[in-house]
Amino acid sequence: QVHLVESGGGLVQAGGSLRLSCAASGNTLKISDMGWYRQGPGKQRELVAVITSGGITNYADSVKGRFTISRDNAKNTVYLQMNTLQPEDTAVYYCNAKIRIIATIFEYWGQGTQVTVSS
């Protein structure tokens, strides 16, 4: 079992920055990928960025060049630095962690943190 707690959301004006953090606890040794997803009003949850245990990253096209995902394995924490925020980035941001055991993937989610970008 893995428990994820996000922090760092809030209200920011367009063009501003926020940094989200997600701390993992529990069975953290087996975590492989960690990532951030978001769900805007009336929209489906979508991938924002993901980082492997080895540091390989992948981003949604809409955030490339503006957002940076990073990971501190010693602290079991993943970060999302969000720059040049736009109103369309407004969403609840969820932390995700995956544990791979042979052919089975177990997924864990945080409770979400609200990010609101005003125009």
Side-chain angles (χ1 to χ4, degrees), residues 87-98:
E88 52 266 33
D89 295 315
T90 295
V92 178
Y93 284 70
Y94 296 92
C95 181
N96 173 273
K98 292 182 174 63

Side-chain angles (χ1 to χ4, degrees), residues 3-101:
H3 186 56
L4 303 172
V5 178
E6 302 108 330
S7 60
L11 174 65
V12 64
Q13 289 188 333
S17 298
L18 283 174
R19 188 192 196 206
L20 305 183
S21 299
C22 172
S25 60
N27 197 6
T28 59
L29 288 178
K30 294 185 177 181
I31 293 176
S32 56
D33 301 349
M34 295 190 76
W36 292 94
Y37 290 70
R38 67 185 180 186
Q39 187 166 13
K43 298 180 181 180
Q44 290 187 331
R45 191 174 297 189
E46 62 177 0
L47 172 70
V48 176
V50 64
I51 184 167
T52 69
S53 56
I56 297 173
T57 60
N58 190 37
Y59 296 92
D61 288 343
S62 59
V63 307
K64 282 181 181 177
R66 300 189 298 123
F67 291 10
T68 302
I69 189 169
S70 60
R71 181 171 175 172
D72 187 333
N73 290 326
K75 295 182 178 180
N76 298 312
T77 300
V78 63
Y79 305 96
L80 185 68
Q81 177 66 43
M82 305 185 292
N83 298 327
T84 320
L85 283 160
Q86 300 301 317
E88 52 266 33
D89 295 315
T90 295
V92 178
Y93 284 70
Y94 296 92
C95 181
N96 173 273
K98 292 182 174 63
I99 292 178
R100 302 175 189 271
I101 299 177

Side-chain angles (χ1 to χ4, degrees), residues 97-116:
K98 292 182 174 63
I99 292 178
R100 302 175 189 271
I101 299 177
I102 307 178
T104 303
I105 298 175
F106 298 89
E107 282 195 286
Y108 300 91
W109 295 92
Q111 81 285 356
T113 185
Q114 177 70 46
V115 172
T116 302

